[in-house]
Amino acid sequence: MLFILLKESVLFAWQSLTSNKLRSFLSLLGITIGIFAIILVFTIVDSLENNIRGSIQTLGNNVVYIQKWPWTFGPDYPWWKYMNRPTPQYYELDDLQRKCKSTEAFAYRMGARKTIKYKSNSIQNAVVAGISHDFYKIKNFDLTAGRYFTQSETDAGYRVALIGANIAQGLFLNEDPIGKEIKIAGQKASVIGVLKKEGESLLGNSFDYQVITPFNFARIMMDTRSENADPIIYAKARPNVTNAEMMDELTGALRSIRKLKPAAEPDFALNETSLLSKGFDQLFDIIGTAGWIIGGFSILVGGFGIANIMFVSVRERTNLIGIQKSLGAKNLFILVQFLSESVMLSCVGGFFGLLLTYIITMLGKGAVDMEITLTGTNVVLGFTISILIGIISGFIPAYSASQLDPVEAIRSN
Amino acid sequence: MKRPKIISFICILGYITVLISFPQVFSPSIKKLGIFMPAIYGILAAANFIACVGLWYFKQWGVQLYILSFFSKTLFVVLTQQYTYSFYFGEFISFIFIVILLRFYPKMSQNL
C-alpha cells in the first residue's frame, strides 16, 4: 500500500517537474550551487588533509628532529629567543651516538638549492641534500635503479649521487642515468641510483626533485654553518622506546655536548611529527568551518527557493487537489505527493551539484599534481543534505495542501 | 480550537532553532564524530521542524514527534558525549515546553 502511494506520488511529482522545466531548473539551481559549494570545500579539505597526513606519515612517528627552530604555531612564538641558537652540526652526531642508548639510528642532513647539469640539459634550483650514512634507516625510500651509498663512500665523501625521479626524467629523458656523470653546482658526481617517484607533497619533502649526496661531498658545495642549509639531526627510537623517553635522553646528551649550565635554557629544539599534526588540525578546522558557513547558508537559501516554488505549485494545483480529495485521496497521499516533489527537486539539484564537484575535481587533477578525490562519504553526505533540505523546505507547503477543504479547493481558480 | 499563544511562541522558537541548527549538519565537529553523524543530526533537525509544523496546526502528532525528537536528541548527545552548556540549557527549555504541550494535548486534533 505504502509502495503504491509512493509510486503514485513520485509519478505526480515527476509530471509536475517536467511540465514546468524552466521553473524547476531555476528552483533547483539554488540547491545545486549550495551542494556544489559545500561538497567542493569538503572534497578539497579532505584531499589536502590526506596529502599532508601522508607526508607527515613519511616523516616517521618514532623520529625526533633536532633543529634550531621548534615546530610550534600560534601568535606567541618567541622567535627572538630561537634566532641566536646554533644550528645542529655534523660533529655532534658522533657524540650523540655515543651517549644515547634509546635510539636505533641517527642521521644528519643539510640541503641547498643548486643547478644540476648533464651535457646540455640542466635543472635549476634542485634540492641537493648532503646526508650521513644511516639516513636510509630514518627515511624509507625505494630505488628504481642502482644502489645506495656504501659506508666508505659516505665516510670518504665520494663524488656519487642518488637522483630523484623528476631529476632523472629532466636530465636524462630516455637514457639510463646509472654511471653517468652530472655536475652539481659545477662539481662532478657519478649517478649511482635513481629514487622511485613519490609524487607531489604539500610539505615539500618529496624526493622527486632532490639529489642526495654524501655529506662529506656536499660540504664542498655549501656552508655547513649556514642556517640556509637547514641542517637537521634525525633520531629514531628503538622499538618499545617511546618518543618521550628518547627525548629525555636526547635533551641530557645535547645539553652535555653543548656544555649548557643546569639553569640555562636549551639552545635546540626537539621536534616530533605530532607537533605538525596538531598545527595542521587547527588549520583544517578553520578551513572546514569557513566552508561550512559558506555552504551551509547557500543551502539554506536554496531551501527557501524550493519552499517558495512549492507554495506556487500548491496554489496552481489547488483545484486539482480538491478533485483528488473528493475522489477519495487521503491527506497523507496529498502530503506525500508534494513532499516527494520537493525531495525530488532537491535531489536533482544535489545530483547536479555533485556532478559539478566531480567535474571540478577532474579538472583540478590535471591542474595540480595532487590527488583530489570526491569520496563516497561526501557523495552520501551531499545526497543526505539534499533529501533533508527537500523535506524541510517542502513540508509546510505539502502539509498546507493536505489540509485543504475539498469543496473550497475545487472552487478556487 | 484556536492555537494558544504559548504554542505559537514555542513553534516560532522551534523554527528559529532549526534555522540556526540546520547548517550545523555540515559542521566539521559533527563530521568528525562519524560518517553517518551528519545524516543523523540532520534527521533530528528535520524531525524537530516537522514537529513544530504539527504544533502550529495544533495536532497531537506534533506533540508526539516533539517528545520523540527530544529523547532522540538527548540519546544522540549522550552517545556522542557532546555535552555543552547550550545542550543543558536546551534540555531544560525543551522539558518545560513538553510540560506545557502535554497540558494542551487533550484539546489538540487527533487527525493528520
Side-chain angles (χ1 to χ4, degrees), chain A residues 309-384:
Chain A
I309 220 74
M310 289 309 296
F311 273 118
V312 173
S313 192
V314 169
R315 176 58 69 87
E316 267 182 5
R317 282 148 53 193
T318 305
N319 54 2
L320 194 67
I321 294 164
I323 293 166
Q324 283 181 329
K325 288 191 99 171
S326 60
L327 288 173
K330 296 258 177 3
N331 285 359
L332 184 66
F333 176 78
I334 306 291
L335 175 78
V336 174
Q337 182 188 323
F338 280 94
L339 206 55
S340 29
E341 186 176 326
S342 148
V343 170
M344 198 185 282
L345 199 66
S346 188
C347 279
V348 173
F351 171 77
F352 283 114
L354 288 170
L355 190 70
L356 212 57
T357 310
Y358 181 72
I359 292 167
I360 295 290
T361 56
M362 284 291 126
L363 293 175
K365 268 182 193 172
V368 290
D369 190 9
M370 192 184 89
E371 191 71 28
I372 302 175
T373 319
L374 175 61
T375 58
T377 314
N378 282 336
V379 172
V380 171
L381 183 67
F383 272 115
T384 311

Side-chain angles (χ1 to χ4, degrees), chain A residues 38 42 285 292 385 392 399, chain B residues 23 26 32 49 57 59 112:
Chain A
I38 199 156
F42 282 160
D285 278 350
W292 155 51
I385 294 166
I392 290 178
Y399 191 72
Chain B
F26 340 108
K32 264 184 200 164
F49 175 78
Y57 282 90
K59 305 282 180 180
L112 178 74

Side-chain angles (χ1 to χ4, degrees), chain A residues 73-80:
Chain A
F73 300 87
D76 307 321
Y77 192 78
W79 53 270
W80 56 92

Side-chain angles (χ1 to χ4, degrees), chain A residues 148-168:
Chain A
Y148 189 69
F149 310 119
T150 61
Q151 184 74 53
S152 57
E153 279 171 342
T154 39
D155 289 348
Y158 272 49
R159 290 169 177 265
V160 284
L162 300 173
I163 57 173
N166 289 358
I167 299 279

Side-chain angles (χ1 to χ4, degrees), chain A residues 12 16 20 25 30 52 54 56 62 72 94 115 144 161 177 180 229 250 272 279 282 293 315 331 348 406:
Chain A
F12 263 110
S16 158
N20 291 298
F25 168 75
I52 288 178
I56 291 173
N62 57 348
T72 46
D94 289 337
T115 301
T144 51
K180 302 282 182 335
L250 283 172
E272 289 179 278
Q282 287 173 359
I293 293 167
R315 176 58 69 87
N331 285 359
V348 173

Side-chain angles (χ1 to χ4, degrees), chain A residues 239-278:
Chain A
N240 304 323
V241 173
T242 62
N243 279 8
E245 287 166 348
M246 181 175 67
M247 282 162 81
D248 279 345
E249 197 183 28
L250 283 172
T251 306
L254 276 164
R255 290 186 73 91
S256 123
I257 293 165
R258 295 191 179 182
K259 297 183 173 61
L260 294 176
K261 286 177 183 166
E265 276 192 40
D267 62 353
F268 51 86
L270 299 180
N271 295 318
E272 289 179 278
T273 52
S274 60
L275 290 173
L276 270 186
S277 300
K278 274 182 204 160

Side-chain angles (χ1 to χ4, degrees), chain B:
Chain B
M1 190 197 165
K2 201 172 172 283
R3 182 180 61 244
K5 282 198 174 105
I6 183 74
I7 301 232
S8 301
F9 173 73
I10 292 171
C11 290
I12 291 166
L13 213 64
Y15 293 140
I16 294 168
T17 310
V18 171
L19 209 67
I20 295 166
S21 66
F22 190 74
Q24 279 196 330
V25 173
F26 340 108
S27 77
S29 54
I30 297 285
K31 209 178 163 215
K32 264 184 200 164
L33 297 175
I35 300 170
F36 297 107
M37 287 305 166
I40 294 169
Y41 192 84
I43 290 165
L44 289 175
N48 200 23
F49 175 78
I50 293 168
C52 289
V53 176
L55 294 176
W56 187 263
Y57 282 90
F58 211 49
K59 305 282 180 180
Q60 283 189 348
W61 62 261
V63 179
Q64 291 157 9
L65 192 59
Y66 192 89
I67 294 170
L68 187 73
S69 70
F70 167 77
F71 282 113
S72 309
K73 195 174 180 184
T74 308
L75 191 70
F76 176 81
V77 174
V78 169
L79 291 177
T80 54
Q81 299 185 327
Q82 300 292 305
Y83 305 108
T84 54
Y85 288 117
S86 61
F87 162 71
Y88 292 117
F89 181 71
E91 289 288 288
F92 175 69
I93 296 288
S94 297
F95 182 75
I96 292 170
F97 285 173
I98 287 170
V99 173
I100 296 167
L101 293 174
L102 287 175
R103 261 196 67 206
F104 290 102
Y105 188 76
K107 294 172 190 170
M108 290 179 178
S109 164
Q110 291 180 354
N111 301 330
L112 178 74

